[in-house]
Structure formats: C-alpha cells, structure tokens
Amino acid sequence: MLIDVDYFSATSIIRNIYIPWQWLVAPMFYLFAYFFLQKELQNKRVQFYLIAPFFLVAVIHASQYAYQLFFDHNHTIVIYYQRGIFLYTNLVSFIYIPMVIYYMYTMILSYEKKHKKAIEKVKEETTWLKNLIHIGIAIVSLGMLSVIIGITFNMKESYYAYPFFISLSLWIYWVGYVGINRASSHEKLEKLNNGQTAKKTGYATFNKINAYIIDHRKYLLADISLNNIAEEFDISVGYLSQLINLHAESNFNDYINELRVESSKKMLLDQRFGNYTIESIGLECGFKSKSNFYATFKKFTGQTPNQYKKIKK
C-alpha cells in the first residue's frame, strides 16, 4: 500500500504535535512551582491527574490519523484552526489550563501565609512566579479569544491565531530561562545558608581540637591518626573528619601535613638546625621518609626543601 508522502509533511507533523503539548505547559509549570516552593515532588496521584489530559488528547489526535491511514483514506482531517476536533479540544484546554493556574495561585498564597514571619524573603521567591502566572493568564485569554473567533467565523486560515502562538512560545522560553536561573540561585543560597549553619554548630569543637593538636605539637607524631584524636575528645572518627573537612577545608592528612610543612620551613631556616640533613628535618617533623617529606613539601610550597632553603637564604 502506497502512502502519500505529503501526508507525512513537516507541516502536518508539527500541527499534530503542537496541540497536545499545549495541554502539558501549565501542568509542568505547576509541578515546577510546587517543587521550587516545597522542596519535594508532588505526590504521584496529583501528577497523574495533571498529566493524564495531555495523553488523552494526544490519543484523540493520533486516532484521527490512524483512522485515515488504516480504515478510510478519504477521511478528512480538519486542521486545528478550522471547526473540528482539534479546535474543540483546543477550546477545552482553555478551560483546563485556568483550573491549573488557579490551583497554582492558591498554592503560592498558602505558602506565603505559612511563612508570614519571613514574608519579605518569601515574596522574593513567590513574586516572580506570580508575574509569570499573570502573563500566562493574559496569553490564555488571547488563545481563548482566538478559538472563539475560529469557531464563530469558521476561519479557513490560521493568521488570526499567530499572536497567541508567538506569545505562548515566548512565554514558554521565558519560563524555562527564569526558572533555571531562579532554581540555580535558590539552590546556591540554600547551600550557603546550610553551610554557615553547620560551621557555627561545630566551630567551637573544632577550635578545641585544633588548639590541642598545635599546642601539644601532636602533628609532629608520625603515627598520629583520626582515631587517636577522636578518642582524646570522645567523639566519633566520622564526626572529627567532618569537622576538619568543614573548618580546615581539607582532609585530615592534608591538615596535619600542612602543619608539618610549616614547622619544617622554620627548621630549615633556623641556624640551630644547620647541621641537620634535609631528611632529618623531615623525620623530626613527623614525615616517615625522605620521599614523603619532599613530595608533601612541594605540594604545599611548589618547591623542594633544598630550593626553599636556598631561596630564603
């Protein structure tokens, strides 16, 4: 069976796909707004009710083409801007979309009411969502007007709907752009706030541990370990590691080795240790071998111990 190539033209495909996608814009915007404000996904039941109309309309549209292809080649598929199934489902979408927008708006108002004490900060998170909703309402009104014109005057061309299509496309791109930027900045702010809170809670404990290691010169011990220090302060190894990572901004080995390198730099320039070999100074500072001392020293200074000594002198 030969199929007319024009049937699968780019225009036909775009026309067939566009209308179902219109049903998906508002639900996806709602789910994004919910996740942005609540920091969690909407439950699956609500997700189903939001997305199901899109699939239902998509099946209705696809069945038109399937019927023509497999059952009646003479069946006429009325294009979406003329009276027919596409235009009528388009009209129904302008009843469904305002419903989704209404629930989105009530969700935002509920969020503001719940956070009255921090209303100024909350408004920063909700004002931009409200503005996007207001623009969306204006575009939906324009789309509804276009459909009413199409049904009333039985339009044969689509030019009357161009303002709606163009404004909707721009709005969708704008929602994506603003949403990504807002979500990114919001995430960074949350991480910063969480990081600051965490630093405040463990800072005093870290200071005690840091002072103990430095004052008692524990870093000069070759066998110093997280276990030794954790037992001394009766805390878990994991918590100690977390404190050092957070406040020293490095792991335990780098934290200890940096203290050792600072001590070795002083010894290299101190005349009292003039008779010491480089290897001896490294061993005195807690390094287990000459190679380990050289590698660590260069890691933190960018020079070998000999180079550092010559340059400084």
Side-chain angles (χ1 to χ4, degrees):
M1 178 177 62
L2 296 178
I3 299 174
D4 186 0
V5 175
D6 183 60
Y7 179 82
F8 290 103
S9 66
T11 303
S12 178
I13 294 172
I14 293 172
R15 182 177 65 234
N16 189 33
I17 293 176
Y18 171 77
I19 296 179
W21 275 107
Q22 183 175 318
W23 287 77
L24 201 57
V25 174
M28 294 304 292
F29 186 30
Y30 173 89
L31 292 174
F32 168 77
Y34 183 90
F35 181 77
F36 182 82
L37 295 177
Q38 306 298 334
K39 311 298 181 298
E40 63 181 6
L41 294 174
Q42 180 61 272
N43 68 69
K44 292 184 178 180
R45 187 175 182 179
V46 175
Q47 289 185 43
F48 172 79
Y49 286 132
L50 286 169
I51 306 300
F54 162 73
F55 289 104
L56 178 61
V57 175
V59 169
I60 293 173
H61 290 193
S63 64
Q64 292 282 305
Y65 289 93
Y67 180 78
Q68 185 191 61
L69 182 62
F70 297 108
F71 299 101
D72 185 0
H73 299 306
N74 297 320
H75 174 67
T76 302
I77 300 177
V78 180
I79 50 183
Y80 66 84
Y81 50 78
Q82 294 178 332
R83 286 181 183 176
I85 187 66
F86 293 156
L87 190 60
Y88 294 136
T89 55
N90 203 6
L91 178 61
V92 175
S93 75
F94 291 121
I95 300 172
Y96 170 72
I97 292 173
M99 290 173 57
V100 177
I101 291 175
Y102 169 77
Y103 284 114
M104 193 186 316
Y105 213 90
T106 56
M107 175 183 66
I108 293 172
L109 294 178
S110 175
Y111 180 82
E112 290 180 343
K113 186 177 180 180
K114 186 179 177 181
H115 298 82
K116 274 187 176 179
K117 293 182 179 179
I119 192 64
E120 291 303 321
K121 181 181 177 182
V122 168
K123 280 187 175 180
E124 292 179 8
E125 299 178 347
T126 58
T127 300
W128 69 278
L129 284 172
K130 286 181 179 178
N131 290 337
L132 286 174
I133 290 174
H134 294 155
I135 297 171
I137 291 172
I139 294 172
V140 169
S141 301
L142 183 61
M144 187 176 293
L145 179 63
S146 299
V147 173
I148 292 172
I149 291 173
I151 294 174
T152 304
F153 298 100
N154 195 19
M155 302 295 288
K156 302 298 182 182
E157 300 295 335
S158 61
Y159 63 84
Y160 72 94
Y162 286 174
F164 165 66
F165 294 147
I166 294 171
S167 57
L168 178 63
S169 299
L170 292 174
W171 182 80
I172 292 172
Y173 282 116
W174 183 246
V175 168
Y177 174 77
V178 175
I180 290 171
N181 280 276
R182 284 283 181 173
S184 177
S185 61
H186 186 75
E187 185 180 352
K188 289 178 181 177
L189 180 62
E190 286 292 322
K191 286 182 178 179
L192 179 62
N193 290 336
N194 292 338
Q196 289 175 343
T197 301
K199 283 189 175 183
K200 289 179 182 177
T201 56
Y203 190 65
T205 304
F206 171 77
N207 270 346
K208 291 180 182 179
I209 295 171
N210 187 55
Y212 169 76
I213 291 173
I214 293 174
D215 294 344
H216 293 80
R217 299 170 69 84
K218 294 292 183 180
Y219 57 88
L220 297 180
L221 300 176
D223 60 349
I224 188 174
S225 67
L226 277 168
N227 287 326
N228 302 145
I229 306 300
E231 287 177 5
E232 183 69 28
F233 285 87
D234 195 24
I235 59 177
S236 69
V237 172
Y239 181 56
L240 174 59
S241 177
Q242 183 182 350
L243 288 175
I244 293 173
N245 289 337
L246 184 62
H247 299 288
E249 297 183 350
S250 64
N251 59 45
F252 179 75
N253 287 334
D254 283 347
Y255 164 68
I256 293 298
N257 283 336
E258 189 170 8
L259 292 174
R260 289 170 174 170
V261 168
E262 288 302 315
S263 180
S264 67
K265 284 161 69 174
K266 294 176 182 178
M267 290 183 68
L268 286 168
L269 302 179
D270 193 331
Q271 293 182 355
R272 292 177 298 174
F273 301 98
N275 294 328
Y276 278 53
T277 63
I278 299 294
E279 183 178 2
S280 298
I281 290 177
L283 295 174
E284 286 288 332
C285 291
F287 293 101
K288 294 182 178 180
S289 66
K290 180 180 179 180
S291 60
N292 178 236
F293 177 42
Y294 269 71
T296 305
F297 194 94
K298 191 166 186 178
K299 175 181 177 179
F300 287 101
T301 66
Q303 303 167 333
T304 64
N306 282 323
Q307 289 172 337
Y308 175 81
K309 187 174 181 178
K310 288 178 182 178
I311 291 172
K312 288 298 181 180
K313 284 191 174 183

